[in-house]
């Protein structure tokens, strides 16, 4: 049992390590603006506790950046839509791919796998040209549509 | 026989299930995802492949392998290729090793398993705030630097390495933990009864059974590994130190110059090198599969 206790403490320390940067982020959010700015520019060391606790930055965010919620909603909407499409397609395609053994299907699986290894810059200009072709330029759907059909979930 | 098995057996009898016969009816289910995948990924890929054989002019001409000749003669391309592969190898190896260790530790003490959710938190943070944080934590004025006095270029490499580790180790750990939960405990105890040592249990039973999960983890890490460029760009700009000059920086430089043909050929060469390496790893890991099925 002693070994288990040591392991527990070790793993807890380990997972705390994962949280330290997030804690620092929170501290920055609650400290005065000039201090946080100096930290963000690499001029000062992040402190473990704000010198004077203030929620002023949150207030600024909600009062002077009015489109914050609009943008947030926009992001949320798109990510939920993408996830829904992604999950639906992954479930039906993954089921078919797992159920049958077939040369065509294994080729498809390999293709899906390999797609994820290609740097995304390669898709930028062709996608732009295609968007130009079908008149979807400057619309957000052209940015998000490829994400919805990314084949990570299918294999 | 378990009830679940019975249901599956009856289902297969009534539907005349044969995994080798692929009915056209089921093709319909595959269609929407595959067609959209083709439109969003295969067509752009083919178009990029095509333009890597064309000259970069307003009216492109076929120039054959000219772009590739220029590319492979460029020492910066070789440097970036070497750097990228080295970074990927180092980071993926470390994460796999670490995540197997951590998953093992989490698995052996049952109550600890929820801790893996804490490790998943970094994945949900936006890259720009992580970069700002990293600049503050590992920048010139931070106490880590004051304390260690590292060499500049090595330190930048290390901090990017740590960023990737911090961001992705949690996912790898949780994947491997899920894989370990799926292993039938009776197999392990049977092995123990037969007098297998702990090391034998790990290398002969657990790791082979974790193979599929590991392939998936490698895919995930490779996928994010070639995207480390984003964080690197936020931290060090378009021209990083020599050791961190990745293929994506090279591609980005040509993107800024609008030299699309050379960009395409650089991306084609890089993606095929990565694909080749991945195929080798995959075939090594899958080699044992046929024996298991037989």
């Amino acid at each position: 049992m002693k070994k288990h206790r040591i392991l527990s403490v070790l793993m807890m320390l380990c997972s705390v390590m994962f949280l330290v940067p997030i804690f620092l982020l929170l501290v920055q959010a609650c400290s005065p603006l000039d201090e946080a700015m100096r930290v963000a520019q690499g001029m000062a060391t992040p402190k473990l506790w704000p010198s004077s606790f203030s929620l002023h930055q949150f207030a600024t965010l909600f009062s002077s950046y009015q489109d914050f919620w609009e943008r947030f909603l926009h992001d949320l909407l798109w990510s939920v839509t993408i996830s829904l499409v992604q999950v639906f397609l992954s479930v039906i395609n993954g089921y078919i791919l797992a159920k049958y053994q077939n040369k065509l299907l294994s080729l498809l699986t390999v293709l899906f796998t390999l797609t994820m290894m290609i740097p995304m810059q390669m898709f930028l200009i062709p996608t732009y040209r295609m968007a130009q072709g079908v008149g979807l330029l400057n619309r957000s759907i052209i940015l998000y549509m490829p994400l919805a059909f990314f084949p990570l979930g299918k294999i | 026989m378990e009830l679940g098995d019975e249901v599956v057996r009856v289902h297969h009898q009534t539907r005349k299930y044969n995994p080798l016969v692929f009915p056209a009816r089921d093709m319909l289910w595959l269609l929407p995802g595959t067609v959209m995948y083709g439109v969003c990924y295969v067509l752009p890929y083919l178009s990029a492949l095509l333009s890597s054989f064309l000259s970069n002019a307003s009216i492109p001409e076929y120039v054959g392998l000219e772009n590739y000749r220029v590319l492979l003669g460029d020492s910066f391309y070789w440097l970036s290729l070497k750097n990228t592969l080295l970074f990927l190898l180092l980071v993926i190896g470390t994460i796999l090793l670490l995540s197997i260790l951590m998953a093992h530790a989490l698995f052996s003490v049952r109550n600890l398993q929820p801790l893996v959710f804490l490790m998943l938190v970094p994945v949900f943070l936006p890259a720009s705030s992580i970069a700002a944080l990293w600049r503050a934590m590992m920048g010139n004025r931070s106490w880590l630097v004051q304390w260690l006095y590292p060499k500049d270029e090595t330190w930048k490499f290390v901090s990017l390495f740590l960023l990737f580790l911090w961001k992705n180790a949690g996912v790898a750990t949780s994947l491997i933990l899920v894989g370990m939960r799926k292993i039938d405990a009776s197999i392990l105890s049977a092995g123990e009864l037969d007098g297998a040592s702990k090391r034998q249990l790990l290398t002969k039973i657990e790791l082979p059974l974790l193979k599929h999960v590991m392939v998936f983890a490698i895919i995930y890490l490779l996928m994010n590994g070639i995207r480390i460029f984003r964080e690197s760009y936020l931290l060090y700009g378009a021209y990083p130190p020599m050791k961190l000059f990745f293929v994506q920086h090279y591609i980005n430089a040509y993107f800024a110059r609008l030299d699309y043909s050379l960009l395409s050929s650089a991306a084609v060469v890089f993606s095929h090198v990565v694909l080749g390496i991945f195929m080798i790893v995959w075939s090594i890991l899958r080699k044992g599969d046929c024996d298991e099925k037989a």
Side-chain angles (χ1 to χ4, degrees), chain B residues 196-235:
Chain B
S197 67
K198 281 217 159 144
R199 210 175 111 210
Q200 278 172 327
L201 280 181
L202 181 70
T203 54
K204 296 273 157 63
I205 297 180
E206 266 178 49
L207 289 184
L209 285 174
L210 284 175
K211 242 171 4 191
H212 295 276
V213 191
M214 294 241 273
V215 169
F216 198 76
I218 291 174
I219 291 174
Y220 180 85
L221 291 173
L222 260 178
M223 190 180 93
N224 278 312
I226 59 177
R227 260 163 236 183
I228 192 68
F229 169 74
R230 189 175 54 173
E231 277 86 353
S232 171
Y233 188 85
L234 287 169
L235 281 175

Side-chain angles (χ1 to χ4, degrees), chain B residues 103-150:
Chain B
H104 230 265
L106 287 175
F107 191 71
S108 58
V109 189
R110 280 241 154 220
N111 300 337
L112 278 183
Q113 287 189 20
L115 278 183
V116 85
F117 291 112
L118 291 185
M119 295 181 184
L120 283 178
V121 171
V123 185
F124 301 109
L125 290 180
S128 56
S129 63
I130 291 182
L133 198 70
W134 232 251
R135 214 177 295 135
M137 272 180 14
M138 310 252 177
N140 285 334
R141 297 287 179 85
S142 68
W143 59 265
L144 266 174
V145 173
Q146 312 258 331
W147 183 42
L148 288 170
Y149 280 118

Side-chain angles (χ1 to χ4, degrees), chain B residues 234-265:
Chain B
L234 287 169
L235 281 175
Y236 310 127
Y239 296 97
M242 275 303 186
K243 272 186 192 166
L244 291 173
F245 188 73
F246 293 153
V247 172
Q248 303 237 340
H249 289 104
Y250 188 88
I251 292 175
N252 196 52
Y254 279 98
F255 193 67
R257 274 188 238 168
L258 296 176
D259 191 342
Y260 186 56
S261 338
L262 207 63
L263 184 161
S264 306
S265 46

Side-chain angles (χ1 to χ4, degrees), chain B residues 39-80:
Chain B
V39 170
C40 294
Y41 292 100
V42 178
L43 278 184
Y45 175 77
L46 292 178
S47 147
L49 198 63
L50 182 70
S51 59
S52 74
F53 294 111
L54 300 175
S55 70
N56 190 51
S58 51
I59 303 159
E61 282 171 28
Y62 178 75
V63 290
L65 292 172
E66 175 64 20
N67 288 319
Y68 290 98
R69 203 184 56 75
V70 172
L71 183 77
L72 297 181
D74 190 350
S75 64
F76 274 99
Y77 186 68
W78 287 107
L79 177 76
S80 66

